[in-house]
Amino acid sequence: MKKFLLIAAIAVCGMFSANAQETSFGVKAGVNLANLNTDADIDGKTSFYLGAVAEFGLSESFALQPELVYSMQGADELDLSYINIPVLAKYYLVEGLAVEVGPQFGFVVDDEDTEAESIDFSAAIGAEYALDMGVFFQARYNLGLTDVYDGIDSKNSVFQIGLGYKF
């Protein structure tokens, strides 16, 4: 399943790159404010994310932005590490300022023996402001749609603030 989703994401990116008006690649990093939406009384945690981003311009105001992101999530004393693949539709409101929305597929790479589900599906919504020199600032919220633990109502909830650079 993991390989299928990765191959599908790469294929989608490849289809759009042929028609892209402008294509850019970059790196990004930032802070995660993570928690689990659950009935249990647990505290959130502050952690980090680090990743790569590609942007395929489809028109003057619309782009497709797939990413590959390592993200530390979970909650206080529940450390979960994911490789996340968001595939975002991006709409530029004005030059440099865009809103983004789309699905995110997450794969657990380390769950510190808590037996978390291996795949996490989320909805991502956010905004980005890019400077002409390639530096960009992002704010995003990832709302978990699937349970992190089988049989327990526990979904990821992650607010991200970060910056990056597109080449």
Side-chain angles (χ1 to χ4, degrees):
M1 182 68 167
K2 291 179 188 179
K3 290 179 184 176
F4 172 75
L5 291 174
L6 182 59
I7 291 169
I10 291 170
V12 168
C13 294
M15 287 188 308
F16 284 109
S17 66
N19 298 324
Q21 292 196 356
E22 185 176 326
T23 301
S24 60
F25 299 92
V27 293
K28 67 182 215 164
V31 175
N32 281 343
L33 304 172
N35 205 346
L36 292 177
N37 287 333
T38 183
D39 293 335
D41 185 23
I42 56 175
D43 293 327
K45 69 182 288 181
T46 302
S47 56
F48 73 95
Y49 68 90
L50 176 67
V53 58
E55 183 175 329
F56 303 101
L58 303 176
S59 73
E60 190 172 304
S61 59
F62 188 72
L64 182 68
Q65 181 168 295
E67 300 176 359
L68 184 63
V69 181
Y70 175 79
S71 181
M72 298 284 296
Q73 297 173 196
D76 188 36
E77 298 183 21
L78 292 172
D79 294 328
L80 298 169
S81 298
Y82 288 88
I83 295 294
N84 289 324
I85 303 173
V87 181
L88 306 169
K90 189 171 190 177
Y91 180 75
Y92 282 90
L93 301 171
V94 294
E95 187 176 336
L97 179 62
V99 292
E100 49 196 29
V101 63
Q104 175 174 278
F105 307 94
F107 304 96
V108 172
V109 293
D110 183 15
D111 66 359
E112 299 227 345
D113 300 323
T114 61
E115 299 184 22
E117 291 292 311
S118 60
I119 297 176
D120 181 55
F121 184 66
S122 302
I125 185 167
E128 175 183 293
Y129 184 74
L131 303 174
D132 289 336
M133 67 178 99
V135 174
F136 64 91
F137 306 91
Q138 280 185 328
R140 184 179 299 163
Y141 179 68
N142 299 316
L143 174 65
L145 302 174
T146 56
D147 288 328
V148 174
Y149 298 103
D150 187 32
I152 300 172
D153 186 21
S154 58
K155 295 173 176 59
N156 276 308
S157 173
V158 184
F159 182 69
Q160 299 178 318
I161 301 169
L163 60 92
Y165 182 78
K166 289 183 186 164
F167 309 102

